[in-house]
Amino acid sequence: MDRIRLGNEEFEGRNNAYVLADGDDLALVDTGIATPGVREDLRDGLAERGDAFADVDAIVLTHFHVDHAGLAGEIQAESDATVYVHEADAPLVEGDADAAAAVERRRRELLEEWGVPEDVRTELLEFLEAASHIEGEPADVTPIADGDVLEVGGRRLEAVHAPGHAAGLCCFELDGGREAVVGDALLPVYTPNVGGADVRVDRPLKRYLQTLERLAERDYDRVWPGHRDPIEDPTARAREIVDHHRERAGNVVDVLDEHGPADAWTVSEHLFGDLEGIHILHGPGEAFAHLDHLRHEGAVSLEDGTYRLVTERVSPREIV
């Protein structure tokens, strides 16, 4: 398996596309964002192998986010490649108007519920509209589910559903062995956003913690993430991210303890300070994911969008 490093000025961290090949059988895992620079990066990376978009037989997407799926439709148009993605994300990759409208409605509802000021909401929506050109062309999709096995590029890929960051995020275990391509389920430098990255996910932090536990239990020797370099001890990294969320839960409790009842936006201001661009969505989304988890665990209550501590103090280790 070869890695093609892709630029990414729109979101944090360089993306990776992975090439699987056996003779004329050529597959890509993820494609990068639909911008001219990334398109050139991917074409050049394939050309170094003597390949082109037209030679791609299969595209396997870890999830629907545009920095992973943006070029799938364009490559498919040139090559007639089969595009695989989890069934939860398939409508969005296909460009289904109803699915996209439902996401937009839910996003607007949550921004209001989280207490994001109207002018800041407007700033975010204008940012998202201005960035709509990076979404790329829709693709005809073959939906997959947890446990499905794909035979592509001379390799055997088993889908391991890993929701939290996205509803349909999948890791792909290679050849039934000790390595996997993991998209944004595990990242080597920063932690994947939960709560804002995919507003369709119910109980986002709980789902992501379950994903981290599942990946830790599989105890891979190495995994290949959607951004930056391979992770050589993925079990330790999964545990480290759990610890990060345990610390973050403690920080959320501290905010409520020190400043009193608050909505998700106010908590995010205390945690992250001023936010701009996509972080206007990701910041309160992350705060909400933790507040929501604390609420379901009985540590905080929610009334009219305001969260308050139920007990004087709570140990994050008891709930995360």
Side-chain angles (χ1 to χ4, degrees):
M1 181 174 69
D2 292 335
R3 174 169 61 133
I4 299 176
R5 303 184 188 192
L6 306 173
N8 186 342
E9 296 180 359
E10 283 73 15
F11 300 99
E12 297 94 340
R14 298 177 62 87
N15 277 83
N16 296 315
Y18 296 99
V19 183
L20 311 175
D22 181 21
D24 292 334
D25 187 3
L26 180 67
L28 284 175
V29 182
D30 285 347
T31 67
I33 204 165
T35 60
V38 173
R39 184 180 295 109
E40 183 177 356
D41 288 342
L42 188 54
R43 286 192 187 276
D44 288 348
L46 288 171
E48 289 178 5
R49 299 175 36 85
D51 297 314
F53 281 6
D55 300 317
V56 178
D57 299 294
I59 300 168
V60 181
L61 299 176
T62 58
H63 59 301
F64 78 96
H65 286 156
V66 295
D67 55 332
H68 297 263
L71 289 170
E74 180 178 333
I75 298 169
Q76 185 182 57
E78 290 195 32
S79 65
D80 199 30
T82 302
V83 176
Y84 299 97
V85 70
H86 189 272
E87 57 194 358
D89 285 1
L92 294 173
V93 177
E94 289 176 327
D96 182 273
D98 291 339
V103 170
E104 177 64 19
R105 285 195 303 273
R106 184 58 178 154
R107 182 187 294 128
R108 289 174 181 268
E109 290 169 358
L110 286 174
L111 290 170
E112 186 172 355
E113 290 176 15
W114 295 342
V116 180
E118 185 174 357
D119 61 326
V120 181
R121 278 182 269 157
T122 299
E123 180 185 341
L124 171 66
L125 296 175
E126 289 176 349
F127 168 84
L128 294 173
E129 177 63 27
S132 61
H133 66 283
I134 67 177
E135 295 175 1
E137 299 297 322
D140 293 327
V141 167
T142 299
I144 59 174
D146 184 56
D148 283 355
V149 174
L150 307 176
E151 301 282 351
V152 297
R155 306 292 292 269
R156 180 186 187 276
L157 273 61
E158 180 179 345
V160 179
H161 191 208
H165 176 69
L169 200 156
C170 278
C171 305
F172 293 95
E173 188 173 289
L174 297 166
D175 302 322
R178 305 302 313 141
E179 298 189 0
V181 181
V182 296
D184 287 356
L186 285 180
L187 296 175
V189 177
Y190 52 91
T191 58
N193 181 262
V194 291
D198 188 351
V199 296
R200 302 172 303 156
V201 181
D202 184 49
R203 299 289 308 276
L205 181 56
K206 178 181 179 180
R207 299 297 300 277
Y208 186 48
L209 291 172
Q210 290 171 339
T211 282
L212 291 171
E213 184 60 31
R214 186 179 192 192
L215 294 179
E217 288 175 353
R218 293 178 98 89
D219 197 25
Y220 296 116
D221 293 333
R222 175 191 296 158
V223 299
W224 303 85
H227 301 264
R228 306 190 189 225
D229 295 326
I231 301 172
E232 301 294 341
D233 189 348
T235 298
R237 180 57 180 155
R239 300 296 188 202
E240 186 176 48
I241 296 175
V242 171
D243 287 341
H244 161 82
H245 283 293
R246 186 173 291 127
E247 180 180 357
R248 174 64 50 77
N251 294 338
V252 170
V253 169
D254 288 342
V255 169
L256 296 180
D257 185 46
E258 295 172 14
H259 301 281
D263 56 29
W265 174 252
T266 301
V267 171
S268 75
E269 286 186 306
H270 286 291
L271 293 176
F272 309 119
D274 293 335
L275 299 171
E276 60 182 19
I278 195 64
H279 300 291
I280 294 172
L281 177 62
H282 286 178
E286 184 88 14
F288 161 75
H290 281 82
L291 289 162
D292 176 69
H293 190 69
L294 289 163
R295 180 174 69 86
H296 280 91
E297 294 296 324
V300 305
S301 64
L302 172 64
E303 185 176 352
D304 296 328
T306 298
Y307 296 86
R308 66 184 68 241
L309 288 175
V310 171
T311 56
E312 291 186 4
R313 292 296 305 171
V314 62
S315 170
R317 186 164 293 277
E318 297 174 2
I319 56 179
V320 174

